[in-house]
Structure formats: C-alpha cells, structure tokens
Amino acid sequence: MSLSETTEEISVRVGTICDGLAGLEGPLLPILHEVQEEFGFIPDGALQTIARKLNLSRAEVHGVASFYHDFREEKPGKHVIKICRAEACQAMGADDVADHAKRKLKVGWSETTSDRNVTLEPVFCLGLCACAPAAMVDGKVVGRVSKDRLDRILSEVGS
C-alpha cells in the first residue's frame, strides 16, 4: 500500500475482495485474511467496507478482527518475527528468548522497531512442539530457537 492511496481507493480494493469471497459460507474470516494479505494489515476504513458488503455492523466485524491476534491494525515492519507463546515452548525457554528479543529490538509484543525493519509478534502454537522453542520468521517456521540463534536471525534480517 502506498502512502498516497486514498481511503476511497482502499475501499474499492477491499470491496473487490469482499465481492470475490462473499459467496463463501462464513466469508468474514477469509475476507479479513485476504485484506491483510493485500495490504499487510487491516487499513482504516476496511472494517466499514466489509461490514457494508456483508450486511453486518462495524462492531461485529471489529469484534472478529480484534479477537484474532493475527490481524494487524498497523503496517508491519519489513520483517515479522513471531515467537511461540504456547506451553511446550514456554517449558523449553521461549520466555527467555522472547525477553531477549524485546531487549535486543527495543520493542514490546506487536510493536515495530523505530527503523520499521522488524515487527515482533506473539503466536500461540506453530505445531513445532517437539522442536521447542519455535518461531516464525517472515512466514518460515524455525525450531529450537535459542538466544544465540535469535541473534543470528536478527543479524540476517538487518537488526
């Protein structure tokens, strides 16, 4: 999404996504995922367009979008690092890895570094319990993440 895109242009693009998926049974989540795929986040005004297209209230759409941690309201950094917060990963040291990441990047959960390079997000199970602690870097899962391995990952993404 370019900075010069108007609310109207965004609304048209979101409307096109809605039109393409509205025929599905339970189209709201697929539409939200597609909008986030298109823009990298759910832009201002998108919820209103989705609500109008699906004949729902904006509050209903916002409730769903805000319930799921995967949906973002702000543009993410160039790289997205997700660290698993589920029990198996916590038992294997994910809390220490997460704290290390927050200190190193100088951000909290769901925040982006000041240079807009990295967004750090929590995720609740990546299905790599046997290789805990787990992370996802730009959509690629990574197992057995230690502080040292995290440092290598951060150096690869330029942070």
Side-chain angles (χ1 to χ4, degrees), residues 26-81:
L28 181 53
L29 281 174
I31 288 170
L32 288 169
H33 281 290
E34 188 68 26
V35 168
Q36 182 153 298
E37 180 71 25
E38 175 83 10
F39 297 98
F41 66 110
I42 309 292
D44 285 339
L47 298 182
Q48 186 62 42
T49 301
I50 295 167
R52 189 180 70 253
K53 289 283 192 174
L54 297 181
N55 198 26
L56 298 170
S57 72
R58 186 186 179 287
E60 288 173 301
V61 177
H62 179 266
V64 172
S66 63
F67 177 79
Y68 293 99
H69 297 284
D70 245 11
F71 296 121
R72 299 181 198 96
E73 295 178 3
E74 296 178 2
K75 187 173 177 100
K78 181 178 176 185
H79 302 282
V80 177
I81 297 176

Short mmCIF file of all heavy atoms in Angstrom, two decimals, residues 26-81:
data_model
loop_
_atom_site.label_atom_id
_atom_site.label_comp_id
_atom_site.label_asym_id
_atom_site.label_seq_id
_atom_site.Cartn_x
_atom_site.Cartn_y
_atom_site.Cartn_z
N GLY A 26 -19.73 -18.33 5.66
CA GLY A 26 -18.86 -17.73 6.67
C GLY A 26 -17.71 -16.97 6.05
O GLY A 26 -16.54 -17.28 6.30
N PRO A 27 -17.98 -15.94 5.26
CA PRO A 27 -16.92 -15.27 4.50
C PRO A 27 -16.06 -14.28 5.28
O PRO A 27 -15.03 -13.84 4.79
CB PRO A 27 -17.70 -14.52 3.41
CG PRO A 27 -19.00 -14.19 4.07
CD PRO A 27 -19.30 -15.39 4.93
N LEU A 28 -16.45 -13.91 6.50
CA LEU A 28 -15.75 -12.83 7.20
C LEU A 28 -14.27 -13.11 7.41
O LEU A 28 -13.42 -12.28 7.09
CB LEU A 28 -16.44 -12.51 8.53
CG LEU A 28 -15.82 -11.37 9.34
CD1 LEU A 28 -15.66 -10.10 8.51
CD2 LEU A 28 -16.65 -11.11 10.59
N LEU A 29 -13.92 -14.27 7.97
CA LEU A 29 -12.50 -14.56 8.22
C LEU A 29 -11.70 -14.65 6.92
O LEU A 29 -10.61 -14.05 6.84
CB LEU A 29 -12.34 -15.83 9.05
CG LEU A 29 -12.58 -15.66 10.55
CD1 LEU A 29 -12.54 -17.00 11.26
CD2 LEU A 29 -11.58 -14.70 11.16
N PRO A 30 -12.18 -15.35 5.89
CA PRO A 30 -11.42 -15.34 4.64
C PRO A 30 -11.22 -13.93 4.07
O PRO A 30 -10.15 -13.62 3.54
CB PRO A 30 -12.25 -16.21 3.69
CG PRO A 30 -13.03 -17.11 4.58
CD PRO A 30 -13.31 -16.30 5.82
N ILE A 31 -12.22 -13.08 4.21
CA ILE A 31 -12.09 -11.70 3.72
C ILE A 31 -11.04 -10.95 4.53
O ILE A 31 -10.18 -10.27 3.96
CB ILE A 31 -13.46 -10.98 3.75
CG1 ILE A 31 -14.36 -11.53 2.63
CG2 ILE A 31 -13.28 -9.46 3.61
CD1 ILE A 31 -15.80 -11.06 2.71
N LEU A 32 -11.09 -11.06 5.85
CA LEU A 32 -10.09 -10.38 6.69
C LEU A 32 -8.67 -10.86 6.35
O LEU A 32 -7.74 -10.06 6.25
CB LEU A 32 -10.39 -10.59 8.17
CG LEU A 32 -11.60 -9.83 8.71
CD1 LEU A 32 -11.97 -10.32 10.11
CD2 LEU A 32 -11.36 -8.32 8.72
N HIS A 33 -8.51 -12.17 6.16
CA HIS A 33 -7.19 -12.69 5.79
C HIS A 33 -6.74 -12.15 4.44
O HIS A 33 -5.57 -11.78 4.28
CB HIS A 33 -7.21 -14.23 5.76
CG HIS A 33 -7.13 -14.86 7.10
ND1 HIS A 33 -5.99 -14.84 7.87
CD2 HIS A 33 -8.06 -15.53 7.83
CE1 HIS A 33 -6.21 -15.47 9.01
NE2 HIS A 33 -7.46 -15.90 9.02
N GLU A 34 -7.64 -12.10 3.49
CA GLU A 34 -7.29 -11.61 2.15
C GLU A 34 -6.94 -10.12 2.18
O GLU A 34 -6.00 -9.69 1.51
CB GLU A 34 -8.43 -11.88 1.17
CG GLU A 34 -8.08 -11.59 -0.26
CD GLU A 34 -7.05 -12.53 -0.86
OE1 GLU A 34 -6.94 -13.68 -0.39
OE2 GLU A 34 -6.35 -12.10 -1.79
N VAL A 35 -7.69 -9.35 2.97
CA VAL A 35 -7.40 -7.91 3.10
C VAL A 35 -6.01 -7.73 3.72
O VAL A 35 -5.21 -6.93 3.24
CB VAL A 35 -8.49 -7.18 3.92
CG1 VAL A 35 -8.04 -5.77 4.29
CG2 VAL A 35 -9.80 -7.14 3.14
N GLN A 36 -5.72 -8.51 4.76
CA GLN A 36 -4.40 -8.38 5.38
C GLN A 36 -3.30 -8.83 4.42
O GLN A 36 -2.22 -8.24 4.38
CB GLN A 36 -4.31 -9.17 6.69
CG GLN A 36 -2.97 -8.99 7.35
CD GLN A 36 -3.00 -9.16 8.83
OE1 GLN A 36 -3.67 -8.40 9.51
NE2 GLN A 36 -2.31 -10.16 9.32
N GLU A 37 -3.56 -9.85 3.63
CA GLU A 37 -2.59 -10.29 2.63
C GLU A 37 -2.33 -9.19 1.60
O GLU A 37 -1.20 -8.93 1.20
CB GLU A 37 -3.10 -11.56 1.93
CG GLU A 37 -2.17 -12.10 0.88
CD GLU A 37 -0.90 -12.72 1.44
OE1 GLU A 37 -0.89 -13.16 2.60
OE2 GLU A 37 0.11 -12.73 0.70
N GLU A 38 -3.39 -8.50 1.21
CA GLU A 38 -3.30 -7.44 0.20
C GLU A 38 -2.52 -6.22 0.71
O GLU A 38 -1.70 -5.66 0.01
CB GLU A 38 -4.72 -7.01 -0.19
CG GLU A 38 -4.80 -5.85 -1.14
CD GLU A 38 -4.63 -6.22 -2.60
OE1 GLU A 38 -4.64 -7.41 -2.93
OE2 GLU A 38 -4.46 -5.29 -3.40
N PHE A 39 -2.79 -5.81 1.95
CA PHE A 39 -2.22 -4.57 2.48
C PHE A 39 -1.11 -4.79 3.51
O PHE A 39 -0.39 -3.85 3.83
CB PHE A 39 -3.31 -3.71 3.12
CG PHE A 39 -4.37 -3.24 2.16
CD1 PHE A 39 -5.59 -3.91 2.07
CD2 PHE A 39 -4.16 -2.14 1.36
CE1 PHE A 39 -6.57 -3.49 1.18
CE2 PHE A 39 -5.14 -1.70 0.48
CZ PHE A 39 -6.35 -2.38 0.39
N GLY A 40 -1.02 -5.99 4.08
CA GLY A 40 -0.08 -6.25 5.17
C GLY A 40 -0.69 -5.99 6.53
O GLY A 40 -0.10 -6.30 7.55
N PHE A 41 -1.88 -5.42 6.55
CA PHE A 41 -2.62 -5.12 7.77
C PHE A 41 -4.05 -4.80 7.35
O PHE A 41 -4.37 -4.80 6.16
CB PHE A 41 -1.98 -3.95 8.53
CG PHE A 41 -2.05 -2.63 7.82
CD1 PHE A 41 -2.86 -1.61 8.29
CD2 PHE A 41 -1.29 -2.38 6.68
CE1 PHE A 41 -2.92 -0.39 7.64
CE2 PHE A 41 -1.34 -1.16 6.02
CZ PHE A 41 -2.16 -0.16 6.50
N ILE A 42 -4.91 -4.51 8.33
CA ILE A 42 -6.29 -4.13 8.04
C ILE A 42 -6.35 -2.60 8.11
O ILE A 42 -6.32 -2.03 9.20
CB ILE A 42 -7.29 -4.74 9.06
CG1 ILE A 42 -7.10 -6.25 9.22
CG2 ILE A 42 -8.72 -4.39 8.66
CD1 ILE A 42 -7.45 -7.10 8.05
N PRO A 43 -6.38 -1.92 6.96
CA PRO A 43 -6.32 -0.46 6.96
C PRO A 43 -7.59 0.20 7.50
O PRO A 43 -8.66 -0.42 7.52
CB PRO A 43 -6.10 -0.10 5.50
CG PRO A 43 -6.50 -1.28 4.72
CD PRO A 43 -6.41 -2.48 5.61
N ASP A 44 -7.45 1.47 7.90
CA ASP A 44 -8.61 2.25 8.34
C ASP A 44 -9.67 2.22 7.26
O ASP A 44 -9.38 2.33 6.07
CB ASP A 44 -8.21 3.72 8.59
CG ASP A 44 -7.44 3.91 9.87
OD1 ASP A 44 -7.52 3.04 10.76
OD2 ASP A 44 -6.75 4.94 9.99
N GLY A 45 -10.89 2.08 7.66
CA GLY A 45 -11.99 2.09 6.72
C GLY A 45 -12.35 0.73 6.16
O GLY A 45 -13.44 0.54 5.64
N ALA A 46 -11.42 -0.23 6.23
CA ALA A 46 -11.69 -1.56 5.67
C ALA A 46 -12.83 -2.25 6.40
O ALA A 46 -13.68 -2.89 5.78
CB ALA A 46 -10.44 -2.42 5.71
N LEU A 47 -12.86 -2.09 7.73
CA LEU A 47 -13.91 -2.76 8.50
C LEU A 47 -15.29 -2.27 8.11
O LEU A 47 -16.24 -3.05 8.02
CB LEU A 47 -13.68 -2.58 10.01
CG LEU A 47 -12.37 -3.16 10.57
CD1 LEU A 47 -12.31 -2.94 12.07
CD2 LEU A 47 -12.21 -4.62 10.22
N GLN A 48 -15.40 -0.96 7.86
CA GLN A 48 -16.68 -0.39 7.46
C GLN A 48 -17.11 -0.93 6.10
O GLN A 48 -18.27 -1.27 5.90
CB GLN A 48 -16.61 1.14 7.42
CG GLN A 48 -17.94 1.80 7.15
CD GLN A 48 -18.96 1.50 8.24
OE1 GLN A 48 -18.66 1.50 9.43
NE2 GLN A 48 -20.18 1.20 7.84
N THR A 49 -16.18 -1.03 5.18
CA THR A 49 -16.48 -1.56 3.85
C THR A 49 -16.91 -3.02 3.95
O THR A 49 -17.90 -3.44 3.34
CB THR A 49 -15.26 -1.43 2.91
OG1 THR A 49 -14.90 -0.06 2.82
CG2 THR A 49 -15.54 -2.00 1.54
N ILE A 50 -16.19 -3.80 4.73
CA ILE A 50 -16.52 -5.22 4.91
C ILE A 50 -17.91 -5.35 5.54
O ILE A 50 -18.74 -6.15 5.09
CB ILE A 50 -15.46 -5.93 5.77
CG1 ILE A 50 -14.11 -5.95 5.03
CG2 ILE A 50 -15.91 -7.35 6.12
CD1 ILE A 50 -12.93 -6.36 5.90
N ALA A 51 -18.16 -4.55 6.57
CA ALA A 51 -19.46 -4.60 7.25
C ALA A 51 -20.59 -4.30 6.27
O ALA A 51 -21.61 -5.00 6.23
CB ALA A 51 -19.48 -3.61 8.42
N ARG A 52 -20.41 -3.26 5.47
CA ARG A 52 -21.44 -2.88 4.49
C ARG A 52 -21.67 -4.00 3.48
O ARG A 52 -22.81 -4.35 3.18
CB ARG A 52 -21.04 -1.58 3.79
CG ARG A 52 -22.14 -0.98 2.92
CD ARG A 52 -21.72 0.32 2.24
NE ARG A 52 -20.72 0.08 1.20
CZ ARG A 52 -19.43 0.38 1.27
NH1 ARG A 52 -18.95 0.98 2.35
NH2 ARG A 52 -18.60 0.12 0.29
N LYS A 53 -20.59 -4.57 2.96
CA LYS A 53 -20.70 -5.62 1.94
C LYS A 53 -21.35 -6.89 2.49
O LYS A 53 -22.01 -7.61 1.75
CB LYS A 53 -19.32 -5.96 1.38
CG LYS A 53 -18.73 -4.87 0.51
CD LYS A 53 -19.38 -4.88 -0.87
CE LYS A 53 -18.63 -4.02 -1.84
NZ LYS A 53 -19.18 -4.14 -3.19
N LEU A 54 -21.12 -7.20 3.78
CA LEU A 54 -21.65 -8.43 4.37
C LEU A 54 -22.94 -8.21 5.16
O LEU A 54 -23.45 -9.14 5.78
CB LEU A 54 -20.59 -9.09 5.27
CG LEU A 54 -19.32 -9.56 4.58
CD1 LEU A 54 -18.38 -10.20 5.59
CD2 LEU A 54 -19.62 -10.51 3.44
N ASN A 55 -23.41 -6.96 5.16
CA ASN A 55 -24.62 -6.62 5.91
C ASN A 55 -24.46 -6.95 7.41
O ASN A 55 -25.34 -7.55 8.02
CB ASN A 55 -25.86 -7.30 5.32
CG ASN A 55 -27.14 -6.63 5.78
OD1 ASN A 55 -27.16 -5.45 6.11
ND2 ASN A 55 -28.22 -7.40 5.82
N LEU A 56 -23.32 -6.56 7.95
CA LEU A 56 -23.02 -6.72 9.36
C LEU A 56 -22.77 -5.34 9.95
O LEU A 56 -22.51 -4.38 9.22
CB LEU A 56 -21.75 -7.57 9.55
CG LEU A 56 -21.79 -9.00 9.04
CD1 LEU A 56 -20.38 -9.61 9.09
CD2 LEU A 56 -22.75 -9.84 9.86
N SER A 57 -22.78 -5.25 11.27
CA SER A 57 -22.41 -3.98 11.89
C SER A 57 -20.89 -3.88 11.92
O SER A 57 -20.18 -4.90 11.91
CB SER A 57 -22.97 -3.88 13.31
OG SER A 57 -22.27 -4.76 14.18
N ARG A 58 -20.39 -2.65 11.96
CA ARG A 58 -18.95 -2.45 12.06
C ARG A 58 -18.44 -3.09 13.35
O ARG A 58 -17.34 -3.64 13.39
CB ARG A 58 -18.61 -0.97 12.02
CG ARG A 58 -17.10 -0.72 11.97
CD ARG A 58 -16.75 0.75 12.07
NE ARG A 58 -15.33 0.95 12.05
CZ ARG A 58 -14.50 0.68 13.06
NH1 ARG A 58 -14.96 0.18 14.18
NH2 ARG A 58 -13.21 0.91 12.95
N ALA A 59 -19.25 -3.03 14.41
CA ALA A 59 -18.87 -3.61 15.71
C ALA A 59 -18.67 -5.13 15.59
O ALA A 59 -17.75 -5.69 16.19
CB ALA A 59 -19.90 -3.29 16.77
N GLU A 60 -19.53 -5.79 14.81
CA GLU A 60 -19.40 -7.24 14.63
C GLU A 60 -18.09 -7.57 13.91
O GLU A 60 -17.36 -8.47 14.31
CB GLU A 60 -20.57 -7.79 13.81
CG GLU A 60 -21.88 -7.82 14.58
CD GLU A 60 -23.05 -8.22 13.69
OE1 GLU A 60 -23.30 -7.51 12.69
OE2 GLU A 60 -23.70 -9.23 14.02
N VAL A 61 -17.78 -6.81 12.87
CA VAL A 61 -16.55 -7.05 12.11
C VAL A 61 -15.33 -6.72 12.98
O VAL A 61 -14.36 -7.47 13.02
CB VAL A 61 -16.54 -6.24 10.80
CG1 VAL A 61 -15.24 -6.44 10.04
CG2 VAL A 61 -17.74 -6.64 9.93
N HIS A 62 -15.39 -5.60 13.70
CA HIS A 62 -14.29 -5.22 14.59
C HIS A 62 -14.08 -6.28 15.67
O HIS A 62 -12.94 -6.61 16.01
CB HIS A 62 -14.56 -3.86 15.23
CG HIS A 62 -13.47 -3.44 16.17
ND1 HIS A 62 -13.53 -3.68 17.53
CD2 HIS A 62 -12.28 -2.84 15.94
CE1 HIS A 62 -12.43 -3.24 18.09
NE2 HIS A 62 -11.66 -2.72 17.16
N GLY A 63 -15.18 -6.82 16.21
CA GLY A 63 -15.07 -7.85 17.24
C GLY A 63 -14.30 -9.06 16.77
O GLY A 63 -13.46 -9.60 17.48
N VAL A 64 -14.57 -9.48 15.55
CA VAL A 64 -13.86 -10.63 14.99
C VAL A 64 -12.40 -10.27 14.71
O VAL A 64 -11.48 -11.00 15.07
CB VAL A 64 -14.56 -11.15 13.71
CG1 VAL A 64 -13.72 -12.21 13.01
CG2 VAL A 64 -15.94 -11.70 14.06
N ALA A 65 -12.17 -9.13 14.08
CA ALA A 65 -10.81 -8.71 13.72
C ALA A 65 -9.95 -8.52 14.97
O ALA A 65 -8.75 -8.84 14.96
CB ALA A 65 -10.84 -7.44 12.89
N SER A 66 -10.52 -8.01 16.03
CA SER A 66 -9.73 -7.75 17.24
C SER A 66 -9.57 -9.01 18.10
O SER A 66 -8.66 -9.09 18.92
CB SER A 66 -10.35 -6.62 18.07
OG SER A 66 -11.64 -6.98 18.51
N PHE A 67 -10.43 -10.00 17.91
CA PHE A 67 -10.34 -11.24 18.69
C PHE A 67 -9.11 -12.06 18.28
O PHE A 67 -8.43 -12.63 19.12
CB PHE A 67 -11.61 -12.08 18.49
CG PHE A 67 -11.57 -13.40 19.21
CD1 PHE A 67 -11.81 -13.49 20.56
CD2 PHE A 67 -11.27 -14.57 18.50
CE1 PHE A 67 -11.76 -14.71 21.22
CE2 PHE A 67 -11.21 -15.79 19.15
CZ PHE A 67 -11.47 -15.86 20.52
N TYR A 68 -8.84 -12.10 17.00
CA TYR A 68 -7.73 -12.91 16.49
C TYR A 68 -6.44 -12.09 16.46
O TYR A 68 -6.38 -11.04 15.85
CB TYR A 68 -8.05 -13.45 15.09
CG TYR A 68 -9.18 -14.44 15.10
CD1 TYR A 68 -10.47 -14.06 14.76
CD2 TYR A 68 -8.96 -15.76 15.49
CE1 TYR A 68 -11.52 -14.98 14.80
CE2 TYR A 68 -10.00 -16.67 15.54
CZ TYR A 68 -11.28 -16.28 15.18
OH TYR A 68 -12.30 -17.18 15.22
N HIS A 69 -5.40 -12.63 17.10
CA HIS A 69 -4.12 -11.93 17.22
C HIS A 69 -3.40 -11.74 15.89
O HIS A 69 -2.52 -10.89 15.77
CB HIS A 69 -3.18 -12.69 18.17
CG HIS A 69 -3.69 -12.77 19.57
ND1 HIS A 69 -3.64 -11.71 20.43
CD2 HIS A 69 -4.29 -13.78 20.24
CE1 HIS A 69 -4.18 -12.07 21.59
NE2 HIS A 69 -4.58 -13.32 21.50
N ASP A 70 -3.76 -12.52 14.89
CA ASP A 70 -3.06 -12.44 13.61
C ASP A 70 -3.38 -11.18 12.81
O ASP A 70 -2.61 -10.78 11.95
CB ASP A 70 -3.41 -13.66 12.74
CG ASP A 70 -2.20 -14.53 12.48
OD1 ASP A 70 -1.16 -14.32 13.13
OD2 ASP A 70 -2.30 -15.41 11.62
N PHE A 71 -4.51 -10.54 13.10
CA PHE A 71 -4.89 -9.36 12.33
C PHE A 71 -4.25 -8.13 12.93
O PHE A 71 -4.30 -7.89 14.13
CB PHE A 71 -6.41 -9.21 12.28
CG PHE A 71 -7.08 -10.35 11.56
CD1 PHE A 71 -8.03 -11.12 12.19
CD2 PHE A 71 -6.75 -10.66 10.25
CE1 PHE A 71 -8.64 -12.18 11.54
CE2 PHE A 71 -7.35 -11.71 9.59
CZ PHE A 71 -8.30 -12.48 10.23
N ARG A 72 -3.61 -7.32 12.06
CA ARG A 72 -2.91 -6.12 12.49
C ARG A 72 -3.69 -4.89 12.06
O ARG A 72 -4.25 -4.85 10.98
CB ARG A 72 -1.54 -6.02 11.82
CG ARG A 72 -0.61 -7.11 12.10
CD ARG A 72 0.72 -6.82 11.37
NE ARG A 72 1.49 -8.02 11.27
CZ ARG A 72 1.50 -8.82 10.23
NH1 ARG A 72 0.81 -8.54 9.16
NH2 ARG A 72 2.22 -9.91 10.24
N GLU A 73 -3.61 -3.84 12.89
CA GLU A 73 -4.23 -2.56 12.55
C GLU A 73 -3.21 -1.58 11.98
O GLU A 73 -3.58 -0.51 11.51
CB GLU A 73 -4.89 -1.95 13.78
CG GLU A 73 -6.06 -2.76 14.29
CD GLU A 73 -6.67 -2.17 15.55
OE1 GLU A 73 -6.23 -1.09 16.00
OE2 GLU A 73 -7.59 -2.80 16.09
N GLU A 74 -1.94 -1.93 12.07
CA GLU A 74 -0.88 -1.06 11.57
C GLU A 74 0.03 -1.85 10.64
O GLU A 74 0.19 -3.06 10.80
CB GLU A 74 -0.04 -0.52 12.73
CG GLU A 74 -0.82 0.37 13.67
CD GLU A 74 0.03 0.86 14.82
OE1 GLU A 74 1.24 0.54 14.87
OE2 GLU A 74 -0.52 1.56 15.67
N LYS A 75 0.63 -1.15 9.72
CA LYS A 75 1.55 -1.78 8.77
C LYS A 75 2.72 -2.37 9.55
O LYS A 75 3.33 -1.71 10.38
CB LYS A 75 2.03 -0.74 7.77
CG LYS A 75 2.86 -1.33 6.65
CD LYS A 75 3.15 -0.29 5.61
CE LYS A 75 4.03 -0.88 4.53
NZ LYS A 75 3.30 -1.27 3.36
N PRO A 76 3.06 -3.63 9.28
CA PRO A 76 4.18 -4.25 10.00
C PRO A 76 5.52 -3.80 9.42
O PRO A 76 5.57 -3.18 8.37
CB PRO A 76 3.96 -5.75 9.73
CG PRO A 76 3.31 -5.77 8.38
CD PRO A 76 2.42 -4.54 8.36
N GLY A 77 6.58 -4.16 10.12
CA GLY A 77 7.91 -3.89 9.62
C GLY A 77 8.22 -4.74 8.40
O GLY A 77 7.43 -5.60 8.00
N LYS A 78 9.37 -4.50 7.82
CA LYS A 78 9.79 -5.25 6.64
C LYS A 78 9.85 -6.75 6.94
O LYS A 78 9.56 -7.58 6.09
CB LYS A 78 11.17 -4.73 6.20
CG LYS A 78 11.71 -5.39 4.96
CD LYS A 78 13.05 -4.76 4.58
CE LYS A 78 13.65 -5.49 3.38
NZ LYS A 78 14.99 -4.99 3.06
N HIS A 79 10.24 -7.09 8.16
CA HIS A 79 10.32 -8.49 8.60
C HIS A 79 9.42 -8.68 9.81
O HIS A 79 9.34 -7.80 10.68
CB HIS A 79 11.76 -8.86 8.98
CG HIS A 79 12.73 -8.67 7.87
ND1 HIS A 79 12.85 -9.55 6.81
CD2 HIS A 79 13.60 -7.66 7.61
CE1 HIS A 79 13.77 -9.11 5.98
NE2 HIS A 79 14.24 -7.96 6.44
N VAL A 80 8.75 -9.83 9.87
CA VAL A 80 7.88 -10.16 11.01
C VAL A 80 8.44 -11.40 11.68
O VAL A 80 8.60 -12.45 11.04
CB VAL A 80 6.42 -10.39 10.56
CG1 VAL A 80 5.56 -10.81 11.75
CG2 VAL A 80 5.85 -9.14 9.90
N ILE A 81 8.74 -11.26 12.96
CA ILE A 81 9.23 -12.38 13.76
C ILE A 81 8.16 -12.70 14.80
O ILE A 81 7.77 -11.83 15.59
CB ILE A 81 10.57 -12.06 14.43
CG1 ILE A 81 11.64 -11.81 13.36
CG2 ILE A 81 10.98 -13.20 15.37
CD1 ILE A 81 12.99 -11.39 13.91
#
